[in-house]
């Protein structure tokens, strides 16, 4: 069974149709790369997955459970939406760490807020905090940030900040980790260190949806590639097909524009 099924997602802003019926699915442990030129709707699609936007039509299912169905909308409480959002971890282009908190605190923060809702929180506060801290430290170690845990964001490079953001997204054990151009704000050297940790996550069979302009990376790491243009999925398939042997003229035009620019 697919871990993620996206069916006919449509989204307009005013009279602008930004997503015109997006379909794809993803198997557990696999990596989906979404490629496409600027303005094609990639960010809007990720925002729909994370309940930051409400689609006008379509369904989103995780592990066979329909989390969103535009045909059966009822007013969802903030608590309901927050619960559903936990299926997805989100890493943005611009890291978005809290400047007043250390790397470790940034990773722990959401877990602590969640834990405070537990009925046993007051009674077991100490043990719960310790568990959250151990989990966060382990994730930062995995991101090669062992010596940086007590640093504040301004003391970290962009690449280090983005690795903290990845640890933060993993801290809540999402089913699917989503990235929106995770290296676009970074220079090439720092890009490499972030792509390296994402590759390591892929090797560990972390289920991921990655919007990226790094074509070589997408080709190497993705199990499935979706090419979007003008709010539609123009082509999707294994990387060997999309990058190596596409018969689609729009995919060919996009990729050749890309190779000329890089
Ligand atoms: N909140 C919004 N209101 C109005 N238009 C939006 C909004 N968000 C995105 N758009 C428009 O949707 C289109 C697709 O944007 P986006 O999803 O950011 O594309 P991409 O990430 O592929 O560059 C763009 O034309 C953008 O201007
Ligand atoms: Mg975008």
């Amino acid at each position: 069974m697919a871990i993620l099924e996206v069916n006919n997602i449509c989204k307009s802003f005013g009279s602008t149709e930004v997503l015109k019926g997006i379909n794809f699915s993803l198997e557990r442990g696999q990596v989906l790369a979404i490629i496409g030129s600027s303005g094609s709707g990639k960010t809007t699609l990720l925002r729909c997955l994370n309940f930051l936007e409400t689609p006008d039509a379509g369904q989103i299912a995780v592990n066979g459970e329909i989390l969103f169905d535009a045909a059966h909308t009822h007013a969802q409480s903030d608590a309901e939406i927050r619960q559903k959002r936990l299926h997805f971890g989100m890493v943005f282009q611009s890291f978005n760490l809290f400047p007043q908190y250390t790397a470790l605190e940034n990773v722990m923060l959401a877990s602590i807020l969640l834990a405070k809702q537990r009925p046993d929180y007051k009674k077991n506060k100490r043990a719960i905090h310790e568990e959250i801290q151990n989990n966060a430290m382990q994730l930062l170690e995995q991101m090669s940030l062992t010596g940086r845990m007590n640093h504040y964001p301004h003391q970290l490079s962009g690449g280090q900040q983005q690795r903290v953001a990845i640890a933060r997204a993993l801290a809540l054990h999402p089913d699917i980790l989503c990235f929106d151009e995770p290296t676009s704000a970074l220079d090439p050297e720092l890009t490499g260190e972030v792509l390296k940790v994402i590759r390591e996550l892929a090797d560990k069979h972390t289920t991921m949806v990655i919007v990226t302009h790094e074509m070589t990376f997408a080709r190497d790491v993705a199990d499935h590639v979706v090419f979007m243009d003008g709010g539609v999925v123009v082509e999707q398939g294994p990387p060997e097909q999309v990058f190596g042997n596409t018969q689609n003229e729009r995919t060919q035009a996009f990729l050749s524009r890309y190779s000329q620019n890089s």
Side-chain angles (χ1 to χ4, degrees):
M1 184 180 64
I3 190 165
L4 172 64
E5 284 173 276
V6 170
N7 180 23
N8 188 39
I9 290 294
C10 299
K11 178 70 185 172
S12 295
F13 294 106
S15 57
T16 315
E17 278 183 84
V18 173
L19 300 175
K20 305 173 189 169
I22 304 293
N23 294 289
F24 61 81
S25 65
L26 180 62
E27 299 296 317
R28 180 184 297 280
Q30 297 219 317
V31 177
L32 174 85
I34 301 178
I35 60 170
S37 44
S38 179
S40 54
K42 305 179 302 294
T43 293
T44 304
L45 176 60
L46 284 192
R47 289 176 61 83
C48 287
L49 292 183
N50 286 276
F51 300 91
L52 298 169
E53 300 286 357
T54 308
D56 303 319
Q59 294 91 32
I60 297 166
V62 172
N63 285 323
E65 178 197 351
I66 294 180
L67 295 184
F68 175 81
D69 186 345
H72 299 103
T73 42
H74 62 288
Q76 299 192 82
S77 67
D78 285 353
E80 259 180 297
I81 292 174
R82 266 206 298 273
Q83 197 59 36
K84 290 179 176 186
R85 204 173 267 150
L86 288 175
H87 290 283
F88 298 91
M90 187 71 195
V91 177
F92 299 96
Q93 187 176 325
S94 51
F95 334 133
N96 298 345
L97 301 180
F98 286 110
Q100 70 273 38
Y101 294 122
T102 64
L104 184 62
E105 287 164 347
N106 266 281
V107 177
M108 291 172 64
L109 193 62
S111 306
I112 290 172
L113 291 175
L114 266 180
K116 284 186 173 167
Q117 296 167 10
R118 281 167 54 170
D120 65 336
Y121 177 74
K122 275 216 172 91
K123 195 166 132 241
N124 298 328
K125 191 171 165 184
R126 243 215 162 99
I128 290 172
H129 268 253
E130 197 174 300
E131 191 189 319
I132 289 172
Q133 181 164 333
N134 287 342
N135 179 46
M137 288 171 72
Q138 209 177 340
L139 287 167
L140 285 167
E141 274 164 30
Q142 200 183 324
M143 295 295 129
S144 307
L145 290 168
T146 307
R148 299 276 187 271
M149 295 191 190
N150 296 319
H151 285 48
Y152 289 87
H154 74 272
Q155 298 170 311
L156 300 172
S157 72
Q160 290 168 338
Q161 288 184 59
Q162 190 61 305
R163 285 182 281 141
V164 175
I166 296 171
R168 176 179 61 182
L170 287 167
L172 296 178
H173 309 291
D175 290 303
I176 300 149
L177 187 57
C178 301
F179 296 83
D180 192 1
E181 299 192 31
T183 60
S184 292
L186 303 174
D187 64 31
E189 192 187 339
L190 302 180
T191 292
E193 66 184 44
V194 170
L195 295 184
K196 179 169 170 276
V197 303
I198 301 176
R199 278 174 201 267
E200 286 166 3
L201 291 172
D203 290 342
K204 290 185 187 149
H205 308 290
T206 309
T207 312
M208 295 188 277
V209 175
I210 309 175
V211 171
T212 184
H213 290 295
E214 298 286 336
M215 297 302 156
T216 309
F217 167 76
R219 186 180 182 143
D220 287 354
V221 171
D223 299 289
H224 191 75
V225 180
V226 166
F227 167 50
M228 282 176 66
D229 197 15
V232 299
V233 175
V234 173
E235 180 175 9
Q236 59 178 312
E240 310 83 62
Q241 173 199 317
V242 177
F243 290 111
N245 190 30
T246 180
Q247 304 299 311
N248 187 297
E249 284 178 18
R250 282 165 78 185
T251 311
Q252 284 168 355
F254 170 75
L255 291 174
S256 71
R257 239 181 6 255
Y258 235 90
S259 58
Q260 276 162 17
N261 291 341
S262 58

